[in-house]
Amino acid sequence: NTESFLLHVPSDFPLRKNSDEPSSYPRYISLHNSNLAKTTFFSGIEGPTYIELKSLQVDETYQIKICWTALDPVSITDIDWIVIPHSTEFQNTKSDEARIFIKFNVVADSWPPLNQLTKIPINVSVINTKLGIPVDLYKIIIYIGLVMTITFWINGRTNLYELLKNL
Amino acid sequence: MFCQLSSTFILCKLVQYGLILLTPRDQFDTSTELLLARFVSVADSSKFWNSHLWNKLLAWDSVYFMKAMASENGKPAFEHEFAFSQFWIHLVRFLAPNHEFYNLLKTGVVLDNILHYLATFILYFLTVKIFSGNLKSSYAKSLAKKTSVLFIFSSAAGFLTGIYSEPLSFTLSFLGIWARQSAVFTTLPKHIDCLYSRFPLYLFSAICFSLATLNRSNCIVLGIYYVFDLWQLLKNRNYGKALLFPLLSGGILFLTCVLQQYVIPYSIFCPERGSWCNTQILGPFTRQSFYGFLQSHYWNVGFLKYWTPNNIPNFLFALPNIIILLYSSVYFSKIYPYYSLRPHIWVTTSLVIIVLLFAHVQIINRISTFIPLHLWYIADRLLKTSNSKDKSTPRGDDRIAHYYIIWLIFWIPLQTILFAYFLPPA
């Protein structure tokens, strides 16, 4: 299962240049020197999950992709992102620069019900987009384009419809 | 015929598995690694063939099948997992050398391909049987060969490379249709009759249809064959045969559904489950069937519930098959009225209406594989145009058949790649 949304960092967003210091917040994903990152988090089902995004670039758009396996009878709801201003305390952590968090709820819906203490493995990916396309999709788009072109060429040369007709 | 169909089958599968091998490994939906982490070691899942082939066959419903197959007792852990065929799960567990994850996966994939291969030939002989009564047998054999080739290049495409339960259903369905067709014959002008000597075959069709329905609930529309036969025999005042043939067989199919949809779930879950258990009418019978509840509660399935703007792409994915299924019904009703096909038309039309109004419509590309009418339609048009000297662009039905085949030529590789990369449509 997948839920995703696009996050655009405004050009005037007060981001410090490319720092690789670990976050004071326990859950974070860093895009330091990379345009995509993926981390597995174990989220509870009793409250929202917050994850800090570090080393983003201003004036860039990112796809936030949340994936979980159908082994776990849950759904991901209330997906959003928030900005915590600099020097503002958030869940017992503080930073002297503005921080970006994504937020989502893991909702269990099954019978028998899941144990409330269950931790669900969730893959969160942050992927830079270029021309509105997440960069990790370029290779599959090229691959599909190539296969469709080859299919078109094969069909052009052999006319599979006629082949089937005269079978 | 045998070599030609076999080589076509092998070619099709080689192309599909070749495309899967070359598909990039980091899938769009990254949850496959979370599934694998639950069952196998990283070292195991990173081996060449696992990472380049087998791991790419675990998209969408495969997760539910693998979870149950690899579980302790093969049983679902949660209520909604009962929506996936217990029959198929236990069959793979039974045939697998052991219940190790990749052994189960490989057994399921091999079994799916064997069933697809077998069904290709069952469909061939079914087609010859049905159309020989009305045509020269050479024409029927040509029609059958084209039908089987079209069945090999099925619109289910990538779903038939994995461990889905469709192959088990379409094999049982074709076997059941063949068995019924062997026991029934058309009497002029528009009547049918059954042979007492062929009663075991008719009963065998009921067993096939019941198992197919146990495996996939959409096969319930196969019961329409019995409704048709019952109506025909009653019309001819053939009450004895009406009782012994369609009523008994239909009763077996109905009983199977009652057990699967009401008695067994009620005994497992009620009364402590509450919810749908509380809609009890009498004994294990509840106002909403178990399967109906699962589909509406967990997958938001219901009358016109799928008709939302964001599902327009899914309707477009389904459009070619909706068109071809409906046109085949019209074709064999009006243009090529062959009375023996009348029940097939009822079954096909019912399936399209049900899927269009109630289900996630794009699944018609894979679940329509258990009925052959649209394949006969395309095969017949191909045969008619191959004999004609007129080489101008196809018109009418021939144009529809032509466009559908062109769509298939591009859809099969495309959908195989989308499945391997864990991209929609599901």
Side-chain angles (χ1 to χ4, degrees), chain A residues 9 34 39 42 54-55 70 74 100 108 129 134 144 146 155:
Chain A
V9 181
S34 170
T39 306
F42 287 81
K54 283 183 60 64
S55 303
V74 298
I100 297 176
T129 64
I144 287 175
L146 203 62
N155 187 51

Side-chain angles (χ1 to χ4, degrees), chain A residues 49-120:
Chain A
T49 298
Y50 290 92
I51 296 166
E52 184 184 354
L53 306 184
K54 283 183 60 64
S55 303
L56 300 186
Q57 309 289 321
V58 292
D59 211 13
E60 287 285 346
T61 300
Y62 296 90
Q63 180 195 42
I64 312 300
K65 188 165 65 173
I66 301 169
C67 300
W68 72 99
T69 174
L71 293 178
D72 301 312
V74 298
S75 46
I76 305 283
T77 62
D78 309 321
I79 302 167
D80 203 350
W81 64 289
I82 56 173
V83 173
I84 305 296
H86 67 82
S87 310
T88 305
E89 185 169 316
F90 175 70
Q91 296 190 356
N92 305 317
T93 64
K94 189 182 279 189
S95 166
D96 52 15
E97 57 175 284
R99 296 180 287 176
I100 297 176
F101 284 80
I102 61 169
K103 160 195 171 297
F104 56 83
N105 277 331
V106 179
V107 177
D109 178 17
S110 68
W111 178 268
L114 267 183
N115 180 316
Q116 281 301 308
L117 303 177
T118 305
K119 294 295 182 187
I120 308 293

Side-chain angles (χ1 to χ4, degrees), chain A residues 144-164, chain B residues 11-12 14-16 19 22 153 405-406 408-410 412-414:
Chain A
I144 287 175
L146 203 62
V147 169
M148 290 296 103
T149 307
I150 292 169
T151 305
F152 185 81
W153 179 75
I154 290 172
N155 187 51
R157 291 187 64 89
T158 53
N159 197 330
L160 298 170
Y161 172 74
E162 290 297 327
L163 207 65
L164 187 54
Chain B
L11 173 69
C12 176
L14 284 178
V15 167
Q16 284 191 284
L19 288 172
L22 297 174
F153 294 102
I405 289 169
I406 296 297
L408 268 183
I409 290 167
F410 288 94
I412 290 171
L414 174 62

Side-chain angles (χ1 to χ4, degrees), chain B residues 272-348:
Chain B
E272 55 278 7
R273 168 57 175 122
S275 178
W276 56 274
C277 293
N278 299 338
T279 66
Q280 181 188 25
I281 300 169
L282 178 71
F285 297 104
T286 49
R287 209 172 24 262
Q288 186 176 34
S289 77
F290 179 56
Y291 190 79
F293 167 78
L294 296 184
Q295 288 294 330
S296 69
H297 181 79
Y298 293 102
W299 281 281
N300 192 32
V301 165
F303 181 65
L304 296 186
K305 282 194 176 167
Y306 210 57
W307 288 54
T308 56
N310 62 308
N311 280 320
I312 288 173
N314 287 317
F315 278 85
L316 293 178
F317 281 129
L319 198 57
N321 267 307
I322 289 172
I323 290 172
I324 208 81
L325 286 162
L326 290 179
Y327 262 87
S328 60
S329 302
V330 171
Y331 181 74
F332 285 115
S333 304
K334 306 275 189 268
I335 299 157
Y336 182 160
Y338 180 30
Y339 199 70
S340 184
L341 295 183
R342 181 60 56 88
H344 299 274
I345 293 165
W346 291 12
V347 169
T348 302

Side-chain angles (χ1 to χ4, degrees), chain A residues 1-2 38 65 67-68 71-73 109 111-112 121 123 136 139 143 148 151 155 161 164-165 167, chain B residues 19 22-23 26 28-31 33 38 67 78-80 146 149 273 297-298 382 385-386 402 409 421:
Chain A
N1 299 296
T2 299
K38 173 172 59 112
K65 188 165 65 173
C67 300
W68 72 99
L71 293 178
D72 301 312
D109 178 17
W111 178 268
N123 270 355
D136 66 338
K139 53 179 170 301
Y143 178 55
M148 290 296 103
T151 305
N155 187 51
Y161 172 74
L164 187 54
K165 210 160 69 168
L167 191 65
Chain B
L19 288 172
L22 297 174
T23 299
D26 55 340
F28 172 74
D29 184 325
T30 64
S31 65
E33 67 184 44
R38 206 75 62 92
K67 178 179 181 181
F78 297 104
E79 173 186 59
H80 63 281
K146 287 186 185 348
V149 168
R273 168 57 175 122
H297 181 79
Y298 293 102
L382 287 172
T385 45
S386 68
H402 186 211
I409 290 167
Y421 200 65

Side-chain angles (χ1 to χ4, degrees), chain B residues 379-417:
Chain B
D380 190 60
R381 292 318 310 169
L382 287 172
L383 214 48
K384 294 238 161 58
T385 45
S386 68
N387 296 341
S388 80
K389 298 294 170 280
D390 172 12
K391 288 305 175 193
S392 64
T393 53
R395 287 194 306 277
D397 286 304
D398 300 326
R399 173 177 287 182
I400 289 168
H402 186 211
Y403 283 156
Y404 183 80
I405 289 169
I406 296 297
W407 172 71
L408 268 183
I409 290 167
F410 288 94
W411 170 253
I412 290 171
L414 174 62
Q415 198 278 331
T416 301
I417 295 169

Side-chain angles (χ1 to χ4, degrees), chain B residues 222-234:
Chain B
L222 294 168
I224 291 172
Y225 286 110
Y226 301 134
V227 171
F228 175 82
D229 292 348
L230 184 65
W231 170 58
Q232 285 288 309
L233 292 171
L234 291 179

Side-chain angles (χ1 to χ4, degrees), chain B residues 238-250:
Chain B
N238 218 326
Y239 302 116
K241 286 183 178 174
L243 193 68
L244 188 62
F245 283 81
L247 212 56
L248 175 63
S249 294

